[in-house]
Amino acid sequence: MLKYILLIIILLPKDILSQNILIKNGTVLTVTNGVKENTDILIINGKIAKIDKNLTAPEGTRIVDANNQYVMPGIIDAHSHIALDVINEATSPVTAEVNAGDVLDPLDVAIYRALAGGVTISHAMHGSANAIGGQCETIKHRFGTTNPDELRMQGAPRTIKFALGENPIRTHGEGSKISPNTRMGVEQIFRNAFSQAQLYMKEWDDYKKGITKTSPVYSLRNETVADILKGDIIIHCHSYRADEILMLLRVLKDFGINKICFQHVNEGFKVAPELAAFGASASVFADWWAYKFEVYYSTAYNAAILTRNGVVTSINSDSEELIRHLYHEAAKTQRYGSLTDDEALALITINPAKQLGIDNRVGSIEVGKDGDIAIFSQHPLSIYTIPQMTIVDGIVKFDIKNDEADMRIDINPNETYSSFYENQRHHESQGCMHGLEELLMEDSYAKFMRYKYSKNHSH
Amino acid sequence: MNTKRFIFILSCLVYCFAGILTIKAQNSDTPKPLSNTHYIKNCFLVKQPGVILSGQNIIVKDGFISDIGPNLKIPYDAQILLADSMYVYAGFIDAYSNTGITKPEQKDRPRIADPGNPPNDIAGITPQFLSNENYNPNDKSVTDMRTAGFGLSQVAPRGMMLPGQSSIFLLGEGNTDEMVLKSGSAQNFQFETSRGVYPSTLIGIMAKFRDLYQNAKIAGQHEEKFLKNPSGLARPDYNKELKSLYPVTTKKQPLYIVAQKTKDVHKALLLKEEFGFDLVLTEVKQGWHYIDKIKQQNIPVLLSLDLPGEEKKSLEKEGKDGEKKDSIKTEVKEIKKEKLDPEKKDYDAKKAAVVKEYLAQAANFEKYGINFGFSFLNSKPSDIKKTIKKLIENGLSENGALAALTTNPAKILGLSHLLGTVEKGKIANLTITDKSYFDEKSVIKFVFVDGKKYDYSEKPRKQKDGKTGHKMIGLWSYEVEIPGAIQKGKINIKKDGSDFKISVKDDTSSNEDVATDINVDGSKLTFSIMATLSTPVKVDFSLDFEDKIYTGNVNVASFGTFPIKGSYDGDPKLNF
Amino acid sequence: MHFLKIYILSFCTLLLFNINAQQVKKAESGTFLLKNGNLHTVTSGTFIGDLLIKDGVIADIGKSISVSEAKIIDCSGKQIYPGLIDGGCRLGLVEIDAISLTNDFNELGDFVPHMKALTAVNPNAVAIPVTRVNGITTVFAKPDGGTFPGTGALIHLFGYNPDQMSAGSERVVMRFPSTGKRGRWDRRSEDDIKKDAEKAIKKINDIWDTANNYMKMDSAAKSENITLSTNNPQMLALLPIVSGKEPIFIEVNSKKDIESAIEWIIEKKYKAVFTGVAEGWRVADKLAKNGIPVITGPILSVPGRDNDSYDASYTNPSIMMKAGVKVAIRTDNAENVRNLPFNAGFAAAYGMGTEEALKAVTINTAEIFGVGDKIGSLDKGKIANLFICDGDPFETKTKIEYLFIKGWKIPLESRHTLLYDEFLDRTPGLK
């Protein structure tokens, strides 16, 4: 254990421990403890040390004047694919062993653009091609480093991506002609994987106890699924339809698993009482719908209905575009469902923190929590607000007064000038089914044409 | 006999014969060597980086350096090489490349019923494979490396994730087995995936590697246990992949990881941290972010000589556009415009700084005292000297460069006792230049490999191809890479009088599309076809021929442009 | 007895429920007097006053209007705005994006300017009510895909057939050959991209040369009272442009392409509107100098280049506007055209200001489509497309309270509100 802690300290980027900052006279939206006018926040060594009026700071502390500005906790995106080099290992319906944490991309400019929207933490997820996809990584937006490890939020619980419905069916049943080809098939993938992992655990137990002498075959896949069964990994499940959500709840109950956050969950509103009773949480789009059949019967009031039914709900981006204005996405719940300011802000702060198991460290402005702060020119739920400054671990990572246009860290030395990308509609650009073109278009141009013209949405 | 088949076989024979002729031609024109003894007289001897001795003589006998000194008796059977004012270096060492490995035939991949569970060879997992099996000592790439001063290569097989094991070859002519210095010298790993089957991505590769590594360890330990005392144990399964990986887990064999960009280097180091194998980083282009870690852990590094280019293109264009005045005009206009654009200026400045980082990497590694050599996965042998000069201009010392070509790779390969310096008793791999190798105008005059002399003092004249387009005539295979699939077929190029006639046929269809808009410019060929899909679609081909292969692009109406490549398949066919 | 009571009660509830289910809310017509609202006319300032809707048009607007027979809506403390107009989207042409059989914006062929969007707009698309309840009354539904994907139509978001929906403006769309990359999978070299674009420009030039010849033939034939006997609907579709009657809508985005398109249009002398114009900010002066109006958007989009500032898309409309370009805003979306006010809101926040941003989704758009005299502002005689809300129409939390399209009072109901009503407090709940 001591060794582990030491390791963590060694791994911490050096500047974290040295950063102090005092934010003066802001309107502080604590999220968990109301609004405090003209209040200061003192961050020492990257942690919130004091919240009060007229604070003084040790010498050398950077002072930020937030007079007439709004100070809120750093925004947390519970579903994103930025800062990743690979999204899907789409070759098998179960790929629990793969890990998005292996392909973190600290060079991705999207991290800076997210910071410029007040987002300090995102959940870098595997895609939704497989019923059991890969493990995900909760990252802090410590933009500026070239070392992937420095993005990791050390100590954040492990998470894994599951997926229901059209995406795994399309990928495997339609694409590769292997099960699942229906929502019935998807259920059995889970049941089989969990049962397999139970057997696997027993095999190793027997070996370790000396009951059997020959070492079983090692399987990183079964190891990972076993960890889910043990409760060491939080499931984040891509889902849309009410029936499939209920299906997974039944499966999880049968295997004694209780850590589950449903992602997208466009029809979550239909089964909000069931979700609340199970203790499942929901991470939804503010208003995306109709890009494919399973989201045709959606409502932008989803987050409001879920919230009102007692489900811990967040609003996510799943997109390098939306992640830049999650504060605006959260505000949509005021148009669609009249949520209060605190309720709306919770959707992008403390609630996603709960879903990622990091609410004891981030998600609100409280003494002892990480110094992750976003400062806005006006109330963050207003359309007219402009993010002014974003702070991660007490370090200013975005400052509108000191903002260069070209923020690339890694520059292609062989490119004569930057490429312009024709506007890719945001659904397509980067999302759950990213990297899946390969499986969807196998043999011919004809199929390829259909794909191009069908403008397939990815989520 | 089927006529087509006959023609095909005939053409194959012609090619084989032609090949033999060229190889033999060099030898049968000159008399047989009289002995295996050479006397290199009165040279500047660069014993090792930083140690140059003048007026030295070297006796090479039976493949070894048998003596060195200012006053040596000339053996009776010696052939004398008058090396006045010449420089003699230890033969250069290429510690990682695909030299001598002919490109494998593109085989049609069988349809994989379950892409999540492909056979190991299709998944790119062939650690049992030895590069010896595909090594051809008479391949052009071997000659090219030798001409560039190299006497030794550690050759990795081509392939995907775990392509197989390297062997170390002396770069002489002869048969493969004779040239092997060490077989199975290293295991190789690269972040290359087989499309569409597991592992198809980087995350898949990382997971699969971990899985294989653990199981290799388990299987190896089990087998050892079983051999000692089989009682109560299951008989070990024979698994060639795991068996081949076991020596890596016991540090009996190093693992070379191709890590070109910064994130690749990170992943390689991550795996080393997890498993503790002996790592050699190879083909490193952008490794400076991890220089501290590399130094601390004393990890050997092979730096890529494939460096970012500098305005190569504009030079080419000038030459080509000489005839076409119009295009020159527009070019000039554009350059002017771009020069005025402050954004472009900033962009260029930033890029220049980055290019500088790439070029200065070797110098920085030298300053840090990291043991590094070079690898040659993506570089042209004839450009090596030019590239090394560039590294020297960016801070690398000449001694550092020489060390990276000789002593360092010898050490990395564990062959310092045999190679890397010019010393008595070492293998007679020598590179002899007319001036210091690092002099801009220096020319490699002789290369000794394994005691055998190769004379490059007279440069063979470059054979210019006759008429443009001449070498394009024939039947060519093609492969178009569209996302997720590879389309294959044949292109038939004929000449009818002065006109080209081209037809294209996809392997899956019986239709033959006749090309229009045919245009030949030097080695470049462009033409178009109307492909019959659900509607007719115009497909534009743009091919660049080099020898018996070509590469290029296919543009399919508005759907995109896809890479195409192919190779010579034989004489043009009358009909497909 | 008690039992019976419950029985009767539940019977009644059931009955009520059935009645409710059968009661479809329909649009109401008639004369409406909006009293004491804060009237944002867009063209003649903002003032508190009354507005009379009669026979589908704004019959009167003023400080105080009195009429004998009108349904009166008290708008005290409320804001009244002209209906918002989306300058380019696929609303009505797509039902479900991923299901290609429900996509009607992309006909096969690269040169199909005669494909008419108005034909394919589904008046009952589920997304139409979802869109209009956010105050969007009119959109330009446009084909998309190849170089000449077809002719788009400006439509009102209420009506049951093309005649009822048409807002009287149809425009031919052309995609200017792009030197940008089509996506991350586009692996063409810079040279190849350039060559492809040059080839494509040659192709469109050939098409327009043919169109010019066609016009000459057509007028020559007319002067001799002959009907031109070629069956050439494509050329017929281009006739209004070569004859200078209507502008060509040119989709163009990168800086280099915009510059080429400007040169091209100067040479051709056609009227033109540029659409997309993602990098308009890089060449705003040139656009202004040549008087080319622009329909830009989505504003909520990722900048086109990795080395662009994070807010390049947000500030684009304001930079063009300030340089003197007439700017309209679009979503270029299908199911979420409802986000038009938020696209305008971001433009407003990032330099454009609310007033100008409002023009960019009302009067500017109307004028660009040649219907500035019919829609786009609260002026007497204009079509009664307007909405009443409780605040700034761009502000996210603002709620729309009344909506009028062509004088019809439209129920503020959509699939999204209906599902909300049904599921907020689901019965039965868990048991």
Side-chain angles (χ1 to χ4, degrees), chain B residues 195 317 331 334 341 343 347 481 535 540 553 555 559-561, chain C residues 108 182 185 187-188 191-192 194 196 199 255-256 281-282 307:
Chain B
R195 280 165 162 266
K317 259 182 213 155
E331 291 261 304
E334 255 174 44
D341 183 347
E343 264 191 317
Y347 187 93
E481 209 180 297
T535 66
D540 301 324
N553 282 313
N555 185 45
F559 307 111
T561 302
Chain C
L108 287 178
R182 295 159 187 156
W185 45 268
R187 278 175 268 175
R188 291 176 300 167
D191 270 0
D192 287 340
K194 208 173 130 195
D196 287 351
K199 220 189 261 176
K255 175 193 170 202
K256 208 170 172 186
W281 60 278
R282 284 199 155 96
N307 57 320

mmCIF file of all heavy atoms in Angstrom, chain B residues 195 317 331 334 341 343 347 481 535 540 553 555 559-561, chain C residues 108 182 185 187-188 191-192 194 196 199 255-256 281-282 307:
data_model
loop_
_atom_site.group_PDB
_atom_site.id
_atom_site.type_symbol
_atom_site.label_atom_id
_atom_site.label_comp_id
_atom_site.label_asym_id
_atom_site.label_seq_id
_atom_site.Cartn_x
_atom_site.Cartn_y
_atom_site.Cartn_z
ATOM 1 N N ARG B 195 -6.179 -5.682 -40.371
ATOM 2 C CA ARG B 195 -7.478 -5.019 -40.459
ATOM 3 C C ARG B 195 -8.645 -5.961 -40.228
ATOM 4 O O ARG B 195 -8.674 -7.061 -40.735
ATOM 5 C CB ARG B 195 -7.649 -4.396 -41.840
ATOM 6 C CG ARG B 195 -6.942 -3.090 -41.946
ATOM 7 C CD ARG B 195 -6.819 -2.675 -43.376
ATOM 8 N NE ARG B 195 -6.531 -1.256 -43.421
ATOM 9 C CZ ARG B 195 -7.443 -0.320 -43.552
ATOM 10 N NH1 ARG B 195 -8.710 -0.641 -43.660
ATOM 11 N NH2 ARG B 195 -7.099 0.949 -43.575
ATOM 12 N N LYS B 317 9.304 19.971 -58.275
ATOM 13 C CA LYS B 317 8.353 20.664 -59.141
ATOM 14 C C LYS B 317 9.067 21.556 -60.135
ATOM 15 O O LYS B 317 8.775 21.540 -61.311
ATOM 16 C CB LYS B 317 7.413 21.517 -58.290
ATOM 17 C CG LYS B 317 6.067 20.848 -58.105
ATOM 18 C CD LYS B 317 5.186 21.753 -57.316
ATOM 19 C CE LYS B 317 4.269 20.930 -56.453
ATOM 20 N NZ LYS B 317 3.838 21.675 -55.283
ATOM 21 N N GLU B 331 2.163 28.851 -59.659
ATOM 22 C CA GLU B 331 2.919 28.500 -58.459
ATOM 23 C C GLU B 331 3.493 29.746 -57.817
ATOM 24 O O GLU B 331 3.324 29.980 -56.634
ATOM 25 C CB GLU B 331 4.085 27.593 -58.837
ATOM 26 C CG GLU B 331 3.663 26.225 -59.301
ATOM 27 C CD GLU B 331 3.778 25.221 -58.184
ATOM 28 O OE1 GLU B 331 4.871 25.106 -57.637
ATOM 29 O OE2 GLU B 331 2.767 24.584 -57.877
ATOM 30 N N GLU B 334 1.039 31.821 -56.083
ATOM 31 C CA GLU B 334 0.573 31.278 -54.813
ATOM 32 C C GLU B 334 1.593 31.455 -53.710
ATOM 33 O O GLU B 334 1.266 31.810 -52.597
ATOM 34 C CB GLU B 334 0.266 29.789 -54.967
ATOM 35 C CG GLU B 334 -1.209 29.550 -55.022
ATOM 36 C CD GLU B 334 -1.518 28.116 -55.317
ATOM 37 O OE1 GLU B 334 -0.856 27.255 -54.716
ATOM 38 O OE2 GLU B 334 -2.395 27.876 -56.133
ATOM 39 N N ASP B 341 0.809 36.052 -46.067
ATOM 40 C CA ASP B 341 -0.168 35.663 -45.071
ATOM 41 C C ASP B 341 0.511 35.466 -43.706
ATOM 42 O O ASP B 341 1.318 34.565 -43.536
ATOM 43 C CB ASP B 341 -0.807 34.351 -45.543
ATOM 44 C CG ASP B 341 -1.900 33.898 -44.620
ATOM 45 O OD1 ASP B 341 -1.993 34.465 -43.506
ATOM 46 O OD2 ASP B 341 -2.640 32.994 -45.004
ATOM 47 N N GLU B 343 -0.621 34.425 -40.949
ATOM 48 C CA GLU B 343 -0.973 33.152 -40.312
ATOM 49 C C GLU B 343 -0.066 32.041 -40.792
ATOM 50 O O GLU B 343 0.413 31.220 -40.033
ATOM 51 C CB GLU B 343 -2.418 32.789 -40.657
ATOM 52 C CG GLU B 343 -3.395 33.201 -39.611
ATOM 53 C CD GLU B 343 -4.753 32.570 -39.877
ATOM 54 O OE1 GLU B 343 -5.199 32.548 -41.037
ATOM 55 O OE2 GLU B 343 -5.349 32.116 -38.916
ATOM 56 N N TYR B 347 2.567 29.705 -38.822
ATOM 57 C CA TYR B 347 2.460 28.256 -38.981
ATOM 58 C C TYR B 347 3.811 27.675 -39.362
ATOM 59 O O TYR B 347 4.285 26.698 -38.777
ATOM 60 C CB TYR B 347 1.422 27.957 -40.065
ATOM 61 C CG TYR B 347 1.090 26.506 -40.212
ATOM 62 C CD1 TYR B 347 0.010 25.959 -39.524
ATOM 63 C CD2 TYR B 347 1.849 25.684 -41.026
ATOM 64 C CE1 TYR B 347 -0.293 24.623 -39.650
ATOM 65 C CE2 TYR B 347 1.553 24.338 -41.152
ATOM 66 C CZ TYR B 347 0.477 23.820 -40.476
ATOM 67 O OH TYR B 347 0.184 22.496 -40.595
ATOM 68 N N GLU B 481 -7.189 0.126 -51.443
ATOM 69 C CA GLU B 481 -7.516 0.034 -50.027
ATOM 70 C C GLU B 481 -8.670 0.974 -49.725
ATOM 71 O O GLU B 481 -8.489 2.183 -49.651
ATOM 72 C CB GLU B 481 -6.280 0.463 -49.246
ATOM 73 C CG GLU B 481 -6.147 -0.158 -47.899
ATOM 74 C CD GLU B 481 -4.877 0.367 -47.234
ATOM 75 O OE1 GLU B 481 -3.785 0.099 -47.773
ATOM 76 O OE2 GLU B 481 -5.006 1.057 -46.227
ATOM 77 N N THR B 535 -24.929 2.681 -60.220
ATOM 78 C CA THR B 535 -24.980 3.641 -61.320
ATOM 79 C C THR B 535 -23.547 3.754 -61.833
ATOM 80 O O THR B 535 -22.624 3.412 -61.114
ATOM 81 C CB THR B 535 -25.414 5.040 -60.853
ATOM 82 O OG1 THR B 535 -24.388 5.535 -60.001
ATOM 83 C CG2 THR B 535 -26.726 5.023 -60.123
ATOM 84 N N ASP B 540 -11.026 7.729 -61.256
ATOM 85 C CA ASP B 540 -9.772 8.250 -61.809
ATOM 86 C C ASP B 540 -8.588 7.572 -61.147
ATOM 87 O O ASP B 540 -8.486 7.541 -59.926
ATOM 88 C CB ASP B 540 -9.672 9.764 -61.556
ATOM 89 C CG ASP B 540 -10.830 10.498 -62.191
ATOM 90 O OD1 ASP B 540 -11.255 10.074 -63.273
ATOM 91 O OD2 ASP B 540 -11.303 11.477 -61.593
ATOM 92 N N ASN B 553 -3.124 6.663 -56.407
ATOM 93 C CA ASN B 553 -4.427 6.937 -55.823
ATOM 94 C C ASN B 553 -5.534 6.614 -56.807
ATOM 95 O O ASN B 553 -5.354 6.718 -58.004
ATOM 96 C CB ASN B 553 -4.560 8.424 -55.491
ATOM 97 C CG ASN B 553 -3.820 8.759 -54.240
ATOM 98 O OD1 ASN B 553 -3.942 8.053 -53.236
ATOM 99 N ND2 ASN B 553 -3.021 9.804 -54.298
ATOM 100 N N ASN B 555 -9.449 7.863 -57.363
ATOM 101 C CA ASN B 555 -10.464 8.800 -56.894
ATOM 102 C C ASN B 555 -11.808 8.342 -57.436
ATOM 103 O O ASN B 555 -11.994 8.195 -58.635
ATOM 104 C CB ASN B 555 -10.129 10.203 -57.390
ATOM 105 C CG ASN B 555 -11.080 11.213 -56.818
ATOM 106 O OD1 ASN B 555 -11.378 11.198 -55.634
ATOM 107 N ND2 ASN B 555 -11.585 12.079 -57.674
ATOM 108 N N PHE B 559 -16.746 10.113 -53.589
ATOM 109 C CA PHE B 559 -16.699 9.297 -52.381
ATOM 110 C C PHE B 559 -15.375 9.363 -51.670
ATOM 111 O O PHE B 559 -15.250 9.024 -50.516
ATOM 112 C CB PHE B 559 -17.021 7.845 -52.710
ATOM 113 C CG PHE B 559 -18.298 7.725 -53.453
ATOM 114 C CD1 PHE B 559 -18.328 7.353 -54.772
ATOM 115 C CD2 PHE B 559 -19.481 8.065 -52.810
ATOM 116 C CE1 PHE B 559 -19.512 7.290 -55.457
ATOM 117 C CE2 PHE B 559 -20.665 8.008 -53.502
ATOM 118 C CZ PHE B 559 -20.686 7.622 -54.829
ATOM 119 N N GLY B 560 -14.363 9.745 -52.391
ATOM 120 C CA GLY B 560 -13.095 9.843 -51.712
ATOM 121 C C GLY B 560 -11.988 9.280 -52.563
ATOM 122 O O GLY B 560 -12.198 8.775 -53.663
ATOM 123 N N THR B 561 -10.805 9.401 -52.045
ATOM 124 C CA THR B 561 -9.641 8.931 -52.745
ATOM 125 C C THR B 561 -8.997 7.853 -51.902
ATOM 126 O O THR B 561 -8.926 7.978 -50.694
ATOM 127 C CB THR B 561 -8.667 10.087 -52.976
ATOM 128 O OG1 THR B 561 -9.365 11.067 -53.712
ATOM 129 C CG2 THR B 561 -7.466 9.648 -53.750
ATOM 130 N N LEU C 108 -29.419 10.538 -56.551
ATOM 131 C CA LEU C 108 -28.221 10.056 -57.224
ATOM 132 C C LEU C 108 -27.856 10.995 -58.368
ATOM 133 O O LEU C 108 -28.724 11.579 -59.008
ATOM 134 C CB LEU C 108 -28.440 8.645 -57.768
ATOM 135 C CG LEU C 108 -28.485 7.521 -56.732
ATOM 136 C CD1 LEU C 108 -28.752 6.191 -57.418
ATOM 137 C CD2 LEU C 108 -27.188 7.444 -55.947
ATOM 138 N N ARG C 182 -12.360 15.793 -46.751
ATOM 139 C CA ARG C 182 -13.747 15.396 -46.563
ATOM 140 C C ARG C 182 -13.973 14.768 -45.200
ATOM 141 O O ARG C 182 -15.096 14.630 -44.756
ATOM 142 C CB ARG C 182 -14.151 14.404 -47.645
ATOM 143 C CG ARG C 182 -14.128 15.012 -49.030
ATOM 144 C CD ARG C 182 -14.028 13.916 -50.074
ATOM 145 N NE ARG C 182 -13.849 14.484 -51.402
ATOM 146 C CZ ARG C 182 -13.291 13.824 -52.395
ATOM 147 N NH1 ARG C 182 -12.854 12.590 -52.207
ATOM 148 N NH2 ARG C 182 -13.166 14.385 -53.574
ATOM 149 N N TRP C 185 -10.737 10.397 -42.701
ATOM 150 C CA TRP C 185 -10.335 9.232 -43.491
ATOM 151 C C TRP C 185 -9.822 9.636 -44.867
ATOM 152 O O TRP C 185 -9.336 8.812 -45.622
ATOM 153 C CB TRP C 185 -11.525 8.274 -43.662
ATOM 154 C CG TRP C 185 -12.787 8.992 -44.017
ATOM 155 C CD1 TRP C 185 -13.736 9.450 -43.152
ATOM 156 C CD2 TRP C 185 -13.239 9.366 -45.328
ATOM 157 N NE1 TRP C 185 -14.729 10.094 -43.832
ATOM 158 C CE2 TRP C 185 -14.465 10.053 -45.166
ATOM 159 C CE3 TRP C 185 -12.731 9.179 -46.610
ATOM 160 C CZ2 TRP C 185 -15.175 10.572 -46.260
ATOM 161 C CZ3 TRP C 185 -13.445 9.697 -47.689
ATOM 162 C CH2 TRP C 185 -14.653 10.379 -47.494
ATOM 163 N N ARG C 187 -7.403 10.502 -47.332
ATOM 164 C CA ARG C 187 -5.944 10.388 -47.299
ATOM 165 C C ARG C 187 -5.286 10.965 -48.547
ATOM 166 O O ARG C 187 -4.161 10.644 -48.877
ATOM 167 C CB ARG C 187 -5.550 8.922 -47.126
ATOM 168 C CG ARG C 187 -5.625 8.488 -45.666
ATOM 169 C CD ARG C 187 -5.350 7.004 -45.546
ATOM 170 N NE ARG C 187 -6.585 6.247 -45.607
ATOM 171 C CZ ARG C 187 -6.641 4.925 -45.613
ATOM 172 N NH1 ARG C 187 -5.555 4.226 -45.581
ATOM 173 N NH2 ARG C 187 -7.800 4.298 -45.659
ATOM 174 N N ARG C 188 -6.000 11.825 -49.246
ATOM 175 C CA ARG C 188 -5.411 12.394 -50.452
ATOM 176 C C ARG C 188 -4.271 13.344 -50.084
ATOM 177 O O ARG C 188 -4.327 14.040 -49.077
ATOM 178 C CB ARG C 188 -6.468 13.175 -51.234
ATOM 179 C CG ARG C 188 -7.534 12.306 -51.850
ATOM 180 C CD ARG C 188 -8.583 13.159 -52.502
ATOM 181 N NE ARG C 188 -9.228 14.047 -51.542
ATOM 182 C CZ ARG C 188 -9.997 15.064 -51.883
ATOM 183 N NH1 ARG C 188 -10.210 15.335 -53.157
ATOM 184 N NH2 ARG C 188 -10.559 15.815 -50.960
ATOM 185 N N ASP C 191 -1.398 17.773 -53.129
ATOM 186 C CA ASP C 191 -1.400 17.925 -54.583
ATOM 187 C C ASP C 191 -2.646 17.310 -55.209
ATOM 188 O O ASP C 191 -3.275 17.894 -56.084
ATOM 189 C CB ASP C 191 -0.168 17.234 -55.180
ATOM 190 C CG ASP C 191 1.006 18.183 -55.258
ATOM 191 O OD1 ASP C 191 0.817 19.354 -54.852
ATOM 192 O OD2 ASP C 191 2.076 17.763 -55.716
ATOM 193 N N ASP C 192 -2.972 16.114 -54.729
ATOM 194 C CA ASP C 192 -4.132 15.420 -55.297
ATOM 195 C C ASP C 192 -5.418 16.203 -55.045
ATOM 196 O O ASP C 192 -6.281 16.310 -55.917
ATOM 197 C CB ASP C 192 -4.263 14.015 -54.686
ATOM 198 C CG ASP C 192 -3.193 13.083 -55.236
ATOM 199 O OD1 ASP C 192 -2.659 13.403 -56.307
ATOM 200 O OD2 ASP C 192 -2.908 12.069 -54.588
ATOM 201 N N LYS C 194 -5.705 19.337 -54.688
ATOM 202 C CA LYS C 194 -5.699 20.501 -55.572
ATOM 203 C C LYS C 194 -6.127 20.098 -56.984
ATOM 204 O O LYS C 194 -6.956 20.752 -57.614
ATOM 205 C CB LYS C 194 -4.276 21.087 -55.598
ATOM 206 C CG LYS C 194 -4.252 22.579 -55.887
ATOM 207 C CD LYS C 194 -2.843 23.118 -55.726
ATOM 208 C CE LYS C 194 -2.469 23.931 -56.937
ATOM 209 N NZ LYS C 194 -1.029 24.192 -57.011
ATOM 210 N N ASP C 196 -7.874 17.501 -57.869
ATOM 211 C CA ASP C 196 -9.292 17.132 -57.886
ATOM 212 C C ASP C 196 -10.164 18.379 -57.988
ATOM 213 O O ASP C 196 -11.139 18.419 -58.737
ATOM 214 C CB ASP C 196 -9.663 16.364 -56.613
ATOM 215 C CG ASP C 196 -9.101 14.957 -56.621
ATOM 216 O OD1 ASP C 196 -8.581 14.553 -57.670
ATOM 217 O OD2 ASP C 196 -9.174 14.282 -55.574
ATOM 218 N N LYS C 199 -10.048 19.939 -61.409
ATOM 219 C CA LYS C 199 -10.850 19.139 -62.327
ATOM 220 C C LYS C 199 -12.334 19.458 -62.127
ATOM 221 O O LYS C 199 -13.096 19.623 -63.083
ATOM 222 C CB LYS C 199 -10.583 17.660 -62.037
ATOM 223 C CG LYS C 199 -10.479 16.811 -63.288
ATOM 224 C CD LYS C 199 -10.444 15.342 -62.916
ATOM 225 C CE LYS C 199 -9.041 14.763 -62.889
ATOM 226 N NZ LYS C 199 -9.025 13.357 -62.441
ATOM 227 N N LYS C 255 -11.122 28.965 -46.590
ATOM 228 C CA LYS C 255 -10.650 30.268 -47.043
ATOM 229 C C LYS C 255 -10.307 30.251 -48.533
ATOM 230 O O LYS C 255 -10.799 31.070 -49.313
ATOM 231 C CB LYS C 255 -9.412 30.635 -46.227
ATOM 232 C CG LYS C 255 -8.750 31.902 -46.672
ATOM 233 C CD LYS C 255 -7.373 32.046 -46.046
ATOM 234 C CE LYS C 255 -6.638 33.203 -46.695
ATOM 235 N NZ LYS C 255 -5.193 33.103 -46.543
ATOM 236 N N LYS C 256 -9.501 29.299 -48.896
ATOM 237 C CA LYS C 256 -9.028 29.222 -50.272
ATOM 238 C C LYS C 256 -10.211 29.060 -51.232
ATOM 239 O O LYS C 256 -10.266 29.687 -52.289
ATOM 240 C CB LYS C 256 -8.103 28.018 -50.386
ATOM 241 C CG LYS C 256 -7.070 28.144 -51.448
ATOM 242 C CD LYS C 256 -6.083 27.007 -51.267
ATOM 243 C CE LYS C 256 -5.111 26.953 -52.419
ATOM 244 N NZ LYS C 256 -4.255 25.758 -52.290
ATOM 245 N N TRP C 281 -14.506 34.425 -41.802
ATOM 246 C CA TRP C 281 -13.760 35.394 -40.989
ATOM 247 C C TRP C 281 -12.373 35.655 -41.530
ATOM 248 O O TRP C 281 -11.806 36.715 -41.308
ATOM 249 C CB TRP C 281 -13.697 34.928 -39.535
ATOM 250 C CG TRP C 281 -13.027 33.590 -39.319
ATOM 251 C CD1 TRP C 281 -13.591 32.367 -39.469
ATOM 252 C CD2 TRP C 281 -11.679 33.359 -38.908
ATOM 253 N NE1 TRP C 281 -12.685 31.380 -39.175
ATOM 254 C CE2 TRP C 281 -11.507 31.950 -38.823
ATOM 255 C CE3 TRP C 281 -10.604 34.193 -38.592
ATOM 256 C CZ2 TRP C 281 -10.298 31.366 -38.441
ATOM 257 C CZ3 TRP C 281 -9.396 33.613 -38.213
ATOM 258 C CH2 TRP C 281 -9.258 32.218 -38.144
ATOM 259 N N ARG C 282 -11.845 34.681 -42.282
ATOM 260 C CA ARG C 282 -10.494 34.885 -42.825
ATOM 261 C C ARG C 282 -10.520 35.794 -44.055
ATOM 262 O O ARG C 282 -9.487 36.331 -44.433
ATOM 263 C CB ARG C 282 -9.865 33.540 -43.206
ATOM 264 C CG ARG C 282 -9.386 32.736 -42.018
ATOM 265 C CD ARG C 282 -8.381 31.662 -42.437
ATOM 266 N NE ARG C 282 -7.501 31.313 -41.327
ATOM 267 C CZ ARG C 282 -7.689 30.282 -40.504
ATOM 268 N NH1 ARG C 282 -8.716 29.500 -40.657
ATOM 269 N NH2 ARG C 282 -6.854 30.054 -39.512
ATOM 270 N N ASN C 307 -5.414 24.213 -35.952
ATOM 271 C CA ASN C 307 -4.685 25.371 -35.424
ATOM 272 C C ASN C 307 -5.567 26.609 -35.295
ATOM 273 O O ASN C 307 -5.073 27.696 -35.050
ATOM 274 C CB ASN C 307 -3.461 25.679 -36.294
ATOM 275 C CG ASN C 307 -3.827 25.934 -37.736
ATOM 276 O OD1 ASN C 307 -4.684 25.259 -38.286
ATOM 277 N ND2 ASN C 307 -3.201 26.918 -38.350
#
